[in-house]
Every structure is written in structure tokens, then in C-alpha cells.
Amino acid sequence: ASKLNEISLKAGLESSACSNFMTSLIEIGIVEKERPITEKETSRKTIYRLQDSMFSFWYRFVRPNTTAIAMGTGEFVYTEFVRNQICSFMGSVFEEICRQYLYRPDVYQTLPFFFGRLGRWWGTNPAKKREEEIDMVALGEGQMLFGECKWRNGKVDAGVMQTLVERGELFACPEKYYFVFSKSGFDASTDSLAKQFGIRRIAFGDML
């Protein structure tokens, strides 16, 4: 549940009361209100998400198992319940790591253009009539940067890059730049597309 009406329904609250709670959670840095980076501040196309990764981890893994953990079976809980879900949990966390990486002074000064804001985008693909999402988008004067972040054990293949380029084509912009981040590196099938579209490939090990 990420929209206000969905959250209020699941929490059993009136929308106005839920909105007040969300405002308080935003002020103390637990929740953030997010809109596609191309939308104006007044846009109603907004969602809410947990900003604090510790809270995300706690409510996903710890809280459902507090009794078992307190009884000394924490290692078993991790092995049987947590370990197999770490990659999916780390997806959004890795996106934030990648955004912070681009703002590192030694990295930021090497980017194709300087931008103030970097965020996510989601919207409709009119050709395929479906919702699309891009992990990372930055806007400049006639310039856009698109990024994809993959936290998984296998290497990123050409299909991931092709999808990112296709989504980039949804925007009419003269200069487009592509970045792909990967926990486990890239396989040889990405070489051709990386050269063709100037895609910068960044493995997690290179970010340390």
C-alpha cells in the first residue's frame, strides 16, 4: 500500500487522520512522499514509501519473528526466512546507494551534465499500453540521465540494457545518457549495447 487511500484503508483510519500521521512521519524522516521526477510539485501522482531502511527491515523481517528471535532461534529465522528474500529487499536500498554514489564529489564531476535532483520515474507507455518504471532519472537543459539498478546474484545481461534504452525512448530529449548498476557485474552480451548507446556500466565492487 503506497497511496494515501490504500494506506488509510489498511490502517483503518479516515483519510484526513491518515494524512496527518503521514505528515508527521515525513517530518521525522521515516516516510517520504514521492512523485515521478518529471511531475510538478502540485501533481497528485504521488506515493508514500518508507525512507528509513532500518524500519523497512524491521517490519519485514524482525517484527513477524520477534518471539522466535527472543527465544534464541534468530539464526534459524535468518536462514529459513530472511536469507532468500535479501535480494528483493535490497532492490530499493541499492537504488538509494546508487543515487548517493552519483553525488560523490569524485563521481559527480565526471558526469555528462550536472543536475540538482535525481529521482525515480513511473508512468504509462502509450505504445505498449502498460505502466513502466525507471529507477533513476535526472533532468538537464535538453539532457536526461537514465539509470537501472540491479541487486541480484547473476550478472546483468543485454536484456536489462535494452529495456532501459526502450524506456528512455519514451522521452523526447536530444541528449540521453544511460547508467546501469549491478551487484554482480555484467556478462559479455552487454558489450555491444554499451558501446552503441554509450552506456556506463558500474559494478557494486567499483563503488566501494
Side-chain angles (χ1 to χ4, degrees), residues 53-67:
S53 298
M54 184 276 288
F55 274 82
S56 297
F57 188 90
W58 173 269
Y59 282 105
R60 180 165 176 174
F61 298 122
V62 181
R63 189 167 183 261
N65 297 288
T66 49
T67 302

Side-chain angles (χ1 to χ4, degrees), residues 50-104:
L50 283 170
Q51 183 177 14
D52 191 310
S53 298
M54 184 276 288
F55 274 82
S56 297
F57 188 90
W58 173 269
Y59 282 105
R60 180 165 176 174
F61 298 122
V62 181
R63 189 167 183 261
N65 297 288
T66 49
T67 302
I69 293 170
M71 295 299 289
T73 62
E75 186 174 347
F76 179 80
V77 169
Y78 173 77
T79 302
E80 296 298 318
F81 180 67
V82 180
R83 184 167 60 185
N84 292 336
Q85 299 186 56
I86 282 294
C87 277
S88 62
F89 170 79
M90 280 296 297
S92 60
V93 177
F94 188 47
E95 288 178 22
E96 180 58 29
I97 291 172
C98 295
R99 283 192 284 268
Q100 292 180 15
Y101 171 79
L102 289 185
Y103 281 115
R104 264 176 36 182

Side-chain angles (χ1 to χ4, degrees), residues 29 101 131 156-157 192:
Y101 171 79
E131 286 291 304
V156 164
D157 58 23
S192 178

Side-chain angles (χ1 to χ4, degrees), residues 3 11 15 22 37 41 43 49-50 54 83-84 98 115 142 155-156 169 172 181 183 191 201:
K3 297 179 181 178
S15 294
M22 298 304 289
I37 193 168
E41 292 288 328
S43 172
R49 57 188 295 187
L50 283 170
M54 184 276 288
R83 184 167 60 185
N84 292 336
C98 295
F115 48 80
K155 293 184 177 182
V156 164
E169 292 302 315
F181 298 84
K183 171 195 174 186
D191 293 345
R201 296 171 289 182

Side-chain angles (χ1 to χ4, degrees), residues 134 144 146 163-172 176 178:
I134 304 176
M144 294 186 75
F146 304 96
T163 298
L164 179 61
V165 171
E166 289 175 358
R167 290 174 179 172
E169 292 302 315
L170 295 172
F171 301 88
K176 299 176 183 178
Y178 299 94

